[in-house]
Amino acid sequence: MDSFIQQAGLGDILDKLRREERLSLDDGRRLYECPDLLAVGWLANLVRERKNGNKAFFIYNQHINYSNICTNLCKFCAFGKEKGHELAYEMSIAQIKDKVRQRLDEPITEIHMVGGIHPDLPYAYYLDALRAIKEVRPDVHIQAFTCVEIQHLADLAGKPVEETLAELQAAGLGSLPGGGAEVFSPRIRELTCPKKLDGAGWLRVAKTAHRCGLKSNATMLYGHIETIDERLEHLDALRRAQDETGGFMTFIPLAFHPKNTELADLSRTSGVDDLKNIAVARLMLDNFPHIKAYWVMIGPKLAQVALSFGADDMDGTVKEEVITRMAGGESEQALGHATLIRLIKEAGREPAERDTLYNVLAVY
Ligand code: V47
């Protein structure tokens, strides 16, 4: 096997991985630029199996996007709408409760709830939304509000992020999802999402959340106008933050979907780029326990393959995800529990149903 990796010009990287040595940004660049996808994938799989054995995690979850009204209107986003737009919506607390009630007969363990940066919903709405979900489904783990939303809520409350997080936790918040990270590069933020909380701000909120005892995820939106170096700097910033706090659970590379966005003239990502992003993330983020292949964005078929290219998690049942769908995503709206298990087994992995914090609930 070593000769196959040597031939791909990655022998020194294999040596580093065997010594469990951290890869440099230059190593990362070579991995991205290496034309031998299988060699890169093989290296990522080595680390994936070292960290997570043969398990592939999934979760029984539900997504709720409480409102698409947004003041940021990022160029890559087809979900956010200005207030008054014909497609703008916001759910009342009663509607959120109804959404949860509609699926009470399913063994959902996590509710993932995010929305736009709304211009005038009051701080109390967000606390009430959390309390309402817990009232209908007391045992569910609520993973809600990206770091961008958390900063917005702190601004609304006029309180420090720590205090805001403590109040949200008291109302039922369990952890933070990884959205809003995009690409931290100031150049990319200026060109695609100038109004959004900047990269330093996103990292500050994430680290604060970790210090308050909340776990969180991290993402990177790739496949638009970012360079390889900007991707690597993003991964490096996450790796350094994780060194400080250890609070990140999983990293999710998000494949850009151009349809209905201001970047609609760009192409969709290729399968090779999708797998490379999974693999390079697995190799660079040596201190992240998990890498997620989000089937909603890359499709269930490629997510299945990604389980051999560094990913150890397929996300979950999801249902009713709006962000990708608005941008032309064509994956089915939900994967059944049995389908997820079948896809994972077929990929030669052991399906491990988890809760949000990666406690294993069942192995199939
Ligand atoms: O923050 C927006 C991205 C994110 C597009 O934490 C787009 O486990 C692709 O973060 N094409 C929201 N991506 C989704 C997200 C997420 C999803 C699943 C699991 C987790 C987790 C997090 O979607 C946004 C933004 O980065 N996004 N528009 C688009 N056109």
Side-chain angles (χ1 to χ4, degrees):
M1 193 49 76
D2 283 26
S3 68
F4 148 68
I5 298 296
Q6 302 276 349
Q7 271 167 25
L10 303 174
D12 57 324
I13 294 186
L14 173 59
D15 291 341
K16 273 194 180 180
L17 294 173
R18 289 215 167 112
R19 294 194 298 268
E20 301 199 26
E21 217 176 275
R22 178 158 283 190
L23 301 187
S24 66
L25 294 194
D26 196 44
D27 294 331
R29 200 172 301 114
R30 283 170 54 213
L31 290 163
Y32 266 125
E33 285 169 0
C34 177
D36 193 335
L37 176 67
L38 288 183
V40 177
W42 188 85
L43 293 175
N45 192 52
L46 196 73
V47 178
R48 180 247 190 264
E49 291 187 353
R50 187 189 290 156
K51 284 187 185 286
N52 291 295
N54 200 33
K55 285 197 168 49
F57 295 96
F58 71 97
I59 189 163
Y60 210 123
N61 62 355
Q62 173 178 14
H63 277 221
I64 298 178
N65 297 123
Y66 59 89
S67 173
N68 64 350
I69 299 175
C70 189
T71 52
N72 282 346
L73 300 175
C74 306
K75 289 204 167 78
F76 50 73
C77 183
F79 170 71
K81 296 281 176 278
E82 226 167 346
K83 198 171 178 181
H85 188 283
E86 57 176 332
L87 295 177
Y89 73 87
E90 71 192 44
M91 291 182 191
S92 64
I93 299 296
Q95 284 170 323
I96 293 177
K97 267 188 171 174
D98 266 357
K99 281 264 169 229
V100 181
R101 220 177 268 124
Q102 278 161 19
R103 297 185 63 191
L104 265 182
D105 57 334
E106 291 177 61
I108 287 165
T109 65
E110 173 189 278
I111 291 184
H112 176 119
M113 181 172 69
V114 294
I117 300 300
H118 195 290
D120 46 35
L121 279 175
Y123 178 50
Y125 170 91
Y126 302 89
L127 295 168
D128 288 346
L130 294 169
R131 290 190 197 108
I133 293 172
K134 283 288 193 182
E135 210 180 293
V136 181
R137 194 149 207 161
D139 295 333
V140 87
H141 179 110
I142 309 178
Q143 181 167 81
F145 310 133
T146 65
C147 291
V148 179
E149 286 166 284
I150 296 291
Q151 184 61 61
H152 172 64
L153 299 191
D155 294 344
L156 271 183
K159 293 176 181 168
V161 169
E162 290 83 345
E163 220 176 297
T164 310
L165 285 169
E167 290 180 357
L168 293 166
Q169 273 179 287
L173 181 70
S175 62
L176 306 188
E182 323 309 355
V183 181
F184 295 141
S185 148
R187 182 187 81 90
I188 293 293
R189 274 188 132 71
E190 185 54 37
L191 288 172
T192 63
C193 53
K195 293 193 189 155
K196 184 168 249 169
L197 177 69
D198 65 12
W202 190 98
L203 286 162
R204 194 171 54 242
V205 173
K207 288 191 283 185
T208 306
H210 300 163
R211 292 193 183 104
C212 293
L214 285 160
K215 294 281 185 190
S216 78
N217 294 337
T219 55
M220 175 174 74
L221 178 66
Y222 67 92
H224 43 98
I225 56 167
E226 82 291 355
T227 63
I228 296 290
D229 281 347
E230 284 163 342
R231 289 182 189 176
L232 287 163
E233 280 153 19
H234 184 94
L235 295 177
D236 187 48
L238 288 173
R239 188 165 73 172
R240 282 185 277 124
Q242 180 76 328
D243 278 343
E244 281 180 52
T245 65
F248 289 114
M249 298 182 286
T250 183
F251 174 75
I252 311 114
L254 298 174
F256 175 54
H257 283 58
K259 200 167 166 188
N260 303 325
T261 75
E262 284 191 48
L263 303 175
D265 51 329
L266 298 180
S267 319
R268 281 184 68 163
T269 60
S270 68
V272 170
D273 203 19
D274 292 336
L275 291 176
K276 272 238 173 108
N277 272 287
I278 298 262
V280 176
R282 178 61 289 165
L283 290 165
M284 295 301 290
L285 296 176
D286 50 18
N287 51 7
F288 271 62
H290 304 285
I291 303 289
K292 191 185 281 187
Y294 185 41
W295 64 263
V296 175
M297 291 211 185
I298 59 171
K301 291 183 182 184
L302 197 64
Q304 204 181 17
V305 178
L307 295 177
S308 300
F309 282 76
D312 60 277
D313 189 314
M314 285 217 11
D315 200 86
T317 46
V318 181
K319 207 161 189 178
E320 282 191 70
E321 191 271 359
V322 192
I323 300 174
T324 322
R325 185 138 293 254
M326 293 289 286
E330 286 153 6
S331 298
E332 33 281 83
Q333 277 289 70
L335 283 186
H337 189 262
T339 307
L340 275 165
I341 293 172
R342 179 177 59 76
L343 291 174
I344 292 171
K345 277 194 175 162
E346 237 181 55
R349 299 297 188 189
E350 184 181 43
E353 185 168 354
R354 62 168 176 90
D355 65 11
T356 308
L357 304 175
Y358 285 84
N359 297 302
V360 175
L361 304 177
V363 172
Y364 298 89

